[in-house]
Amino acid sequence: MDALERLAGVGGDLLRRVDGVLIAGGAPAGDPVWELLRQVGALPGDVLEFGLKVRGEPLRVAGAQLRADADRFARRQGKLTVDLAGVWEGTGAEAFAVRWGALASYIGDGGDPGTITGRLRATAGYTEALADWCDALRAELAEAVARVVGSAEAVTLRQAGGEEPPAAEVLEAAARIAGRVLRPAADAFAGARELMARRAPDLEELRYSEPGAGPAGGAAPTTRVAL
């Protein structure tokens, strides 16, 4: 159980009050929370629920598996290249060599993101970066919730009755609390968009292209090899 989970009970109760006030009466005109609400597209209580659901550890497990798969592809490619070298001669071998060379380049050794192994490692890196993002979001939300649950604004909300529309001081208190919770969420979502834009070129679908020509001296018959 991390800090956000420990604060979920008291924080959730307070933020549900904040959501109710904002829904009933809105925020004061011109308050910065309006822009944050537009950026995040959710109320503070929804943000807390989202933060409690995102977890970095499953993403790290997936990243480790992707790296293991990339290593397996790289080893298999290298082994087959060595095993096939010099053990097969003739026209069929030449035709196969052309195709195997193209396929081996497509598989790659992991150093180039424009290969299968490279794409797997790039995807693993993206997955691990998302795991860090999840952990950072949870930590930032936990800090924000810890600050607001003990604030003067929280006292104002707890002491307020259920009158509608809410009093001006209640609206102001709700807006301040909402702003403190929504700010780290807005920053995190902007960071996620930047991360995706930066990693996107190395995550696109990688298509395999057949080699354009066979060996010199005419077309070779189709060769099938079980690998």
Side-chain angles (χ1 to χ4, degrees):
M1 180 177 290
D2 65 4
L4 189 62
E5 289 172 319
R6 289 193 293 271
L7 290 163
V10 62
D13 177 69
L14 174 63
L15 295 184
R16 281 189 292 271
R17 292 172 185 260
V18 171
D19 292 353
V21 170
L22 294 177
I23 291 170
D31 193 284
V33 76
W34 287 114
E35 179 60 27
L36 290 171
L37 286 167
R38 282 191 288 270
Q39 291 176 13
V40 176
L43 291 167
D46 299 322
V47 168
L48 177 59
E49 288 185 14
F50 174 77
L52 288 166
K53 291 176 181 177
V54 298
R55 295 182 178 276
E57 188 55 31
L59 291 168
R60 288 195 176 84
V61 172
Q65 183 60 57
L66 286 167
R67 291 194 182 280
D69 290 342
D71 292 343
R72 179 170 55 84
F73 269 92
R75 288 194 301 271
R76 183 65 57 85
Q77 183 257 27
K79 184 176 186 303
L80 286 174
T81 299
V82 172
D83 289 348
L84 291 169
V87 299
W88 188 13
E89 297 179 355
T91 304
E94 294 172 8
F96 181 78
V98 171
R99 280 172 165 73
W100 172 243
L103 182 58
S105 297
Y106 176 66
I107 295 172
D109 60 6
D112 180 4
T115 63
I116 286 291
T117 53
R119 276 289 196 275
L120 285 170
R121 288 177 180 169
T123 304
Y126 177 63
T127 302
E128 291 156 356
L130 280 178
D132 292 340
W133 179 88
C134 291
D135 291 346
L137 173 61
R138 290 177 69 95
E140 291 292 334
L141 284 178
E143 181 177 353
V145 171
R147 289 180 180 275
V148 298
V149 294
S151 65
E153 290 83 1
V155 174
T156 299
L157 283 177
R158 293 190 183 102
Q159 290 178 343
E163 69 273 8
E164 291 191 16
E169 63 270 17
V170 176
L171 293 177
E172 292 175 2
R176 290 195 190 98
I177 291 174
R180 290 171 186 170
V181 174
L182 292 175
R183 170 51 64 191
D187 292 343
F189 293 162
R193 290 190 291 270
E194 188 277 331
L195 174 64
M196 183 61 195
R198 178 159 39 89
R199 300 273 186 156
D202 293 340
L203 301 175
E204 295 176 353
E205 181 182 359
L206 184 64
R207 295 184 179 274
Y208 172 67
S209 298
E210 288 282 350
T222 299
T223 302
R224 292 182 174 85
V225 179
L227 301 179

